[in-house]
Amino acid sequence: MAKETEKQRWQRNFADLLQELRVAQTGVQILFAFLLTLPFSSGFPDTTAFQRDVYVVALLSAACATALIISPVAFHRALFRQGRKPELVRYAHAVASGGLAFMLISMVSSVLLITDFILPRPVAFILSGATAIFFLTYWAGLPFLRRNWGDGDEDDLDDEEAPTSTR
């Protein structure tokens, strides 16, 4: 089997990144839609000032996550057929990472909002903290600890480490 060219690798990396963004985009859009409808529910007037503040944090972070996770599409449209796939992949990687960070904030804030509404506040803080730890473990901790898993496939190497094609 022929070794892939650098252009083919960038194209494959972009396709892989788009698949990942589709998953994240669906999750953040569902959360955002839920948060958008929440103030119109019958129980929302019963919320405390603290709960409304947490709601605003959850809503705004979901909006930021949505913007960042969808932004590679706009960037791709702007760079379409300009041969700048490496720049696009680097940009999409950076904004996807930022989008996941905002999604984490929104998820934990949403858990805090709901648990604070139905449980005593100390329990809500404990459950929200546990949720944050759980997300950070699976979204950052384990991937960081296992980044050298496998056989050193150059697909997973940073751009600086990856061998360049000779022509």
Side-chain angles (χ1 to χ4, degrees):
M1 187 164 113
K3 187 128 173 102
E4 75 180 344
T5 66
E6 187 171 350
K7 182 178 180 179
Q8 290 169 329
R9 183 172 60 91
W10 284 113
Q11 184 63 36
R12 183 178 43 76
N13 287 341
F14 182 63
D16 290 347
L17 187 58
L18 285 180
Q19 280 301 107
E20 294 167 7
L21 289 173
R22 284 184 184 109
V23 172
Q25 181 181 9
T26 302
V28 77
Q29 285 177 325
I30 291 168
L31 177 61
F32 192 44
F34 161 74
L35 290 168
L36 287 173
T37 63
L38 197 57
F40 303 103
S41 66
S42 61
F44 197 78
D46 299 332
T47 58
T48 65
F50 172 76
Q51 291 166 343
R52 286 189 295 276
D53 290 344
V54 172
Y55 169 78
V56 169
V57 169
L59 179 69
L60 294 178
S61 58
C64 290
T66 301
L68 289 174
I69 289 172
I70 294 174
S71 71
V73 174
F75 203 79
H76 181 257
R77 288 292 92 208
L79 298 181
F80 189 66
R81 294 194 179 191
Q82 291 186 12
R84 295 167 62 188
K85 193 72 69 173
E87 181 181 353
L88 175 60
V89 170
R90 286 185 195 104
Y91 169 81
H93 167 70
V95 297
S97 298
L100 288 174
F102 276 109
M103 190 171 176
L104 170 70
I105 294 166
S106 187
M107 297 289 279
V108 172
S109 299
S110 297
V111 169
L112 179 58
L113 171 64
I114 293 166
T115 55
D116 188 66
F117 190 77
I118 61 175
L119 299 170
R121 185 160 293 158
V123 175
F125 279 126
I126 291 168
L127 292 174
S128 300
T131 301
I133 291 168
F134 186 81
F135 273 88
L136 286 170
T137 297
Y138 285 96
W139 285 11
L142 289 177
F144 180 77
L145 290 173
R146 301 297 182 191
R147 69 188 182 280
N148 293 325
W149 252 4
D151 57 1
D153 184 12
E154 72 180 52
D155 176 47
D156 295 329
L157 296 175
D158 289 332
D159 299 332
E160 295 82 31
E161 300 175 47
T164 56
S165 62
T166 55
R167 294 182 189 203

